[in-house]
Short mmCIF file of all heavy atoms in Angstrom, two decimals:
data_model
loop_
_atom_site.label_atom_id
_atom_site.label_comp_id
_atom_site.label_asym_id
_atom_site.label_seq_id
_atom_site.Cartn_x
_atom_site.Cartn_y
_atom_site.Cartn_z
N VAL A 16 17.14 -45.61 21.40
CA VAL A 16 16.45 -46.81 21.94
C VAL A 16 15.50 -47.33 20.92
O VAL A 16 14.71 -46.56 20.34
CB VAL A 16 15.72 -46.50 23.21
CG1 VAL A 16 14.92 -47.69 23.69
CG2 VAL A 16 16.69 -46.10 24.30
N ASP A 17 15.58 -48.59 20.59
CA ASP A 17 14.62 -49.21 19.67
C ASP A 17 13.65 -50.01 20.56
O ASP A 17 13.93 -51.13 21.00
CB ASP A 17 15.32 -50.10 18.68
CG ASP A 17 14.36 -50.74 17.72
OD1 ASP A 17 13.17 -50.31 17.71
OD2 ASP A 17 14.78 -51.71 17.01
N GLY A 18 12.48 -49.48 20.79
CA GLY A 18 11.50 -50.14 21.71
C GLY A 18 10.85 -49.11 22.58
O GLY A 18 10.74 -47.90 22.26
N GLU A 19 10.43 -49.53 23.77
CA GLU A 19 9.67 -48.71 24.70
C GLU A 19 10.54 -48.29 25.87
O GLU A 19 11.27 -49.09 26.41
CB GLU A 19 8.46 -49.52 25.19
CG GLU A 19 7.60 -48.73 26.23
CD GLU A 19 6.39 -49.52 26.64
OE1 GLU A 19 5.49 -49.78 25.80
OE2 GLU A 19 6.35 -49.91 27.79
N VAL A 20 10.42 -47.02 26.23
CA VAL A 20 11.09 -46.51 27.40
C VAL A 20 10.08 -45.94 28.34
O VAL A 20 9.27 -45.14 27.99
CB VAL A 20 12.15 -45.38 27.01
CG1 VAL A 20 12.75 -44.83 28.25
CG2 VAL A 20 13.16 -45.92 26.06
N GLU A 21 10.09 -46.40 29.61
CA GLU A 21 9.17 -45.88 30.60
C GLU A 21 9.98 -45.13 31.64
O GLU A 21 10.95 -45.65 32.16
CB GLU A 21 8.40 -47.03 31.28
CG GLU A 21 7.43 -46.52 32.34
CD GLU A 21 6.67 -47.72 32.98
OE1 GLU A 21 6.61 -48.79 32.36
OE2 GLU A 21 6.16 -47.50 34.10
N ILE A 22 9.60 -43.91 31.92
CA ILE A 22 10.28 -43.07 32.93
C ILE A 22 9.31 -42.69 34.01
O ILE A 22 8.27 -42.18 33.72
CB ILE A 22 10.91 -41.79 32.26
CG1 ILE A 22 11.86 -42.18 31.14
CG2 ILE A 22 11.53 -40.90 33.30
CD1 ILE A 22 12.34 -41.01 30.35
N LYS A 23 9.69 -43.00 35.23
CA LYS A 23 8.87 -42.61 36.37
C LYS A 23 9.60 -41.53 37.20
O LYS A 23 10.69 -41.66 37.51
CB LYS A 23 8.67 -43.85 37.31
CG LYS A 23 7.76 -44.95 36.65
CD LYS A 23 7.46 -46.06 37.64
CE LYS A 23 6.54 -47.05 37.01
NZ LYS A 23 6.23 -48.18 38.02
N GLY A 24 8.82 -40.46 37.46
CA GLY A 24 9.43 -39.33 38.09
C GLY A 24 9.49 -38.14 37.12
O GLY A 24 8.83 -38.14 36.11
N ASN A 25 10.30 -37.13 37.48
CA ASN A 25 10.43 -35.96 36.67
C ASN A 25 11.46 -36.14 35.55
O ASN A 25 12.56 -36.70 35.80
CB ASN A 25 10.77 -34.73 37.52
CG ASN A 25 9.70 -34.43 38.51
OD1 ASN A 25 8.45 -34.53 38.18
ND2 ASN A 25 10.07 -33.94 39.67
N LEU A 26 11.15 -35.71 34.37
CA LEU A 26 12.08 -35.81 33.27
C LEU A 26 12.29 -34.42 32.76
O LEU A 26 11.33 -33.70 32.34
CB LEU A 26 11.56 -36.69 32.11
CG LEU A 26 12.34 -36.69 30.84
CD1 LEU A 26 13.73 -37.29 31.03
CD2 LEU A 26 11.58 -37.46 29.72
N LYS A 27 13.52 -33.93 32.74
CA LYS A 27 13.86 -32.62 32.19
C LYS A 27 14.51 -32.78 30.84
O LYS A 27 15.52 -33.49 30.76
CB LYS A 27 14.72 -31.80 33.13
CG LYS A 27 14.04 -31.47 34.50
CD LYS A 27 14.92 -30.70 35.38
CE LYS A 27 14.20 -30.32 36.73
NZ LYS A 27 15.09 -29.54 37.58
N VAL A 28 13.97 -32.17 29.85
CA VAL A 28 14.51 -32.29 28.44
C VAL A 28 14.85 -30.90 27.93
O VAL A 28 14.09 -29.97 28.03
CB VAL A 28 13.43 -32.94 27.55
CG1 VAL A 28 13.98 -33.07 26.12
CG2 VAL A 28 12.98 -34.31 28.04
N LYS A 29 16.03 -30.81 27.32
CA LYS A 29 16.57 -29.50 26.88
C LYS A 29 17.06 -29.69 25.46
O LYS A 29 17.74 -30.59 25.16
CB LYS A 29 17.63 -29.00 27.77
CG LYS A 29 18.20 -27.64 27.33
CD LYS A 29 19.35 -27.19 28.30
CE LYS A 29 19.90 -25.86 27.84
NZ LYS A 29 21.03 -25.43 28.77
N ASP A 30 16.60 -28.72 24.60
CA ASP A 30 17.06 -28.67 23.21
C ASP A 30 16.98 -30.00 22.58
O ASP A 30 17.95 -30.61 22.06
CB ASP A 30 18.53 -28.18 23.14
CG ASP A 30 18.66 -26.78 23.66
OD1 ASP A 30 17.69 -26.00 23.55
OD2 ASP A 30 19.72 -26.41 24.21
N THR A 31 15.78 -30.58 22.56
CA THR A 31 15.58 -31.96 22.03
C THR A 31 14.57 -31.92 20.92
O THR A 31 13.53 -31.26 21.04
CB THR A 31 15.07 -32.91 23.13
OG1 THR A 31 16.07 -32.94 24.16
CG2 THR A 31 14.83 -34.30 22.63
N GLN A 32 14.82 -32.68 19.88
CA GLN A 32 13.94 -32.77 18.76
C GLN A 32 13.41 -34.21 18.75
O GLN A 32 14.14 -35.16 18.78
CB GLN A 32 14.65 -32.44 17.44
CG GLN A 32 13.74 -32.56 16.23
CD GLN A 32 14.54 -32.13 14.98
OE1 GLN A 32 15.41 -31.37 15.03
NE2 GLN A 32 14.09 -32.69 13.84
N VAL A 33 12.05 -34.31 18.60
CA VAL A 33 11.48 -35.64 18.56
C VAL A 33 10.95 -35.89 17.17
O VAL A 33 10.18 -35.06 16.59
CB VAL A 33 10.23 -35.74 19.53
CG1 VAL A 33 9.58 -37.08 19.42
CG2 VAL A 33 10.74 -35.45 20.96
N GLU A 34 11.33 -36.98 16.52
CA GLU A 34 10.88 -37.36 15.21
C GLU A 34 9.99 -38.56 15.35
O GLU A 34 10.35 -39.53 16.08
CB GLU A 34 12.03 -37.65 14.30
CG GLU A 34 12.89 -36.42 14.00
CD GLU A 34 14.04 -36.72 13.02
OE1 GLU A 34 14.08 -37.88 12.58
OE2 GLU A 34 14.82 -35.81 12.69
N GLY A 35 8.83 -38.55 14.66
CA GLY A 35 7.92 -39.70 14.80
C GLY A 35 6.79 -39.35 15.81
O GLY A 35 6.58 -38.19 16.17
N ASN A 36 6.22 -40.38 16.38
CA ASN A 36 5.11 -40.19 17.29
C ASN A 36 5.68 -40.06 18.73
O ASN A 36 6.62 -40.70 19.18
CB ASN A 36 4.13 -41.44 17.22
CG ASN A 36 3.52 -41.57 15.92
OD1 ASN A 36 3.22 -40.57 15.28
ND2 ASN A 36 3.29 -42.77 15.51
N PHE A 37 4.98 -39.21 19.49
CA PHE A 37 5.37 -38.96 20.90
C PHE A 37 4.09 -38.90 21.72
O PHE A 37 3.13 -38.20 21.34
CB PHE A 37 6.15 -37.64 21.02
CG PHE A 37 6.42 -37.23 22.44
CD1 PHE A 37 7.40 -37.95 23.15
CD2 PHE A 37 5.70 -36.29 23.08
CE1 PHE A 37 7.66 -37.63 24.46
CE2 PHE A 37 6.00 -35.91 24.43
CZ PHE A 37 6.98 -36.59 25.10
N SER A 38 4.04 -39.66 22.80
CA SER A 38 2.83 -39.72 23.60
C SER A 38 3.23 -39.49 25.07
O SER A 38 4.19 -40.12 25.55
CB SER A 38 2.18 -41.10 23.52
OG SER A 38 1.02 -41.16 24.43
N ALA A 39 2.54 -38.58 25.77
CA ALA A 39 2.82 -38.33 27.15
C ALA A 39 1.50 -38.58 27.95
O ALA A 39 0.43 -38.06 27.61
CB ALA A 39 3.23 -36.90 27.40
N THR A 40 1.51 -39.51 28.90
CA THR A 40 0.34 -39.91 29.64
C THR A 40 0.53 -39.63 31.08
O THR A 40 1.64 -39.93 31.64
CB THR A 40 0.07 -41.47 29.45
OG1 THR A 40 -0.06 -41.67 28.06
CG2 THR A 40 -1.18 -41.84 30.16
N SER A 41 -0.47 -39.08 31.75
CA SER A 41 -0.35 -38.77 33.18
C SER A 41 -1.39 -39.65 33.90
O SER A 41 -2.51 -39.92 33.45
CB SER A 41 -0.73 -37.33 33.44
OG SER A 41 -0.77 -37.06 34.82
N ILE A 42 -1.00 -40.11 35.11
CA ILE A 42 -1.91 -40.90 35.98
C ILE A 42 -2.44 -40.00 37.11
O ILE A 42 -3.12 -40.48 37.99
CB ILE A 42 -1.22 -42.14 36.55
CG1 ILE A 42 0.00 -41.75 37.41
CG2 ILE A 42 -0.83 -43.08 35.42
CD1 ILE A 42 0.61 -42.91 38.15
N GLU A 43 -2.16 -38.71 37.04
CA GLU A 43 -2.62 -37.81 38.09
C GLU A 43 -4.10 -37.59 37.94
O GLU A 43 -4.73 -37.71 36.83
CB GLU A 43 -1.89 -36.41 37.99
CG GLU A 43 -0.42 -36.55 38.12
CD GLU A 43 0.05 -36.95 39.51
OE1 GLU A 43 -0.75 -36.67 40.47
OE2 GLU A 43 1.12 -37.56 39.65
N SER A 44 -4.79 -37.15 39.01
CA SER A 44 -6.24 -36.92 38.94
C SER A 44 -6.54 -35.72 38.00
O SER A 44 -7.59 -35.68 37.35
CB SER A 44 -6.74 -36.55 40.30
OG SER A 44 -6.15 -35.46 40.89
N VAL A 45 -5.66 -34.81 37.87
CA VAL A 45 -5.75 -33.67 36.92
C VAL A 45 -4.47 -33.68 36.11
O VAL A 45 -3.45 -33.08 36.43
CB VAL A 45 -5.92 -32.29 37.60
CG1 VAL A 45 -6.06 -31.22 36.56
CG2 VAL A 45 -7.09 -32.30 38.61
#
Side-chain angles (χ1 to χ4, degrees):
V16 175
D17 180 12
E19 180 179 292
V20 178
E21 180 180 340
I22 301 175
K23 292 185 177 181
N25 295 324
L26 172 65
K27 295 182 180 180
V28 180
K29 181 180 179 182
D30 299 330
T31 299
Q32 179 177 334
V33 178
E34 296 183 1
N36 297 325
F37 174 75
S38 177
T40 303
S41 174
I42 60 173
E43 302 292 334
S44 57
V45 182

